[in-house]
Amino acid sequence: MRNGEWPDFSDAGMQAGFRHAKQLLAKLRTMSTYDEGYRAVLEALIPGIPASAVICPPFHCDHGHGIILGEHVFINANCTFLDGAYIRIGAHTLIAPNVQIYTPHHPLDYRLRREGREYAYPVTVGADCWIGGSAVICPGVTIGDRCVIGAGSVVTEDIPDDSLAVGNPCRVIRRLA
């Protein structure tokens, strides 16, 4: 999916990847950020995660290896990151509870959906952002640096740097710089 190809969800390698992520996520659900072993599980789930980045359990994702975090990223509890395509989050960004980031996108044609067709478009959140609680970020969206996204917003289009954006659909209501 990350190369723009149709996925084959029956593929043994893809199923092994899902299984690996789900087993690590199950372990993570029984831990706090203070527990011994927490960091090892997190690093096994998200290879290359910076030591300064924190993800509070429970956390949900499809693969884990499609999530790329900058230094000092904080992700609060009960977030869902569907990482069929890459999800990149810049340094010093704060993600509130219940935020959902989706990269998968299903075809509008029901016949293709019946075939199990699915696309995935990357999501990028810039550095020094604050994503408010229960916000939803849709496939293919880029949020610029130093943005604030209001709680409950549904981000369907790109948001430029230094923006305060809110609503459903999410719209820029003022510049922050």
Side-chain angles (χ1 to χ4, degrees):
M1 289 173 65
R2 293 185 188 138
N3 295 325
E5 298 172 13
W6 295 107
D8 177 1
F9 292 107
S10 67
D11 177 76
M14 184 170 280
Q15 286 303 311
F18 281 128
R19 186 176 316 107
H20 175 75
K22 299 312 176 204
Q23 289 170 338
L24 291 170
L25 290 166
K27 288 180 185 176
L28 209 56
R29 279 193 296 274
T30 66
M31 305 175 118
S32 80
T33 57
Y34 302 101
D35 288 342
E36 186 176 327
Y38 157 81
R39 196 75 207 172
V41 173
L42 195 57
E43 290 171 359
L45 179 65
I46 302 173
I49 184 172
S52 61
V54 175
I55 298 177
C56 298
F59 178 71
H60 312 278
C61 66
D62 280 339
H63 308 281
H65 53 73
I67 300 169
I68 302 166
L69 304 178
E71 294 287 339
H72 303 284
V73 168
F74 179 82
I75 300 170
N76 214 322
N78 209 38
C79 289
T80 300
F81 290 12
L82 300 185
D83 57 321
Y86 287 109
I87 296 172
R88 292 177 174 87
I89 300 176
H92 299 277
T93 288
L94 306 174
I95 309 285
N98 302 307
V99 168
Q100 301 165 63
I101 300 178
Y102 303 138
T103 67
H105 180 72
H106 301 283
L108 297 177
D109 184 326
Y110 73 92
R111 292 168 290 228
L112 294 175
R113 288 194 307 271
R114 284 183 182 183
E115 294 175 11
R117 300 284 178 108
E118 184 176 301
Y119 308 95
Y121 301 105
V123 169
T124 300
V125 178
D128 295 298
C129 292
W130 173 23
I131 310 299
S134 297
V136 175
I137 302 173
C138 292
V141 166
T142 295
I143 296 172
D145 294 335
R146 300 169 303 279
C147 289
V148 176
I149 305 298
S153 294
V154 178
V155 186
T156 60
E157 296 180 2
D158 293 353
I159 304 294
D161 292 349
D162 301 301
S163 295
L164 171 60
V166 301
N168 180 5
C170 191
R171 298 284 181 248
V172 174
I173 61 170
R174 84 175 160 116
R175 303 288 292 165
L176 295 173

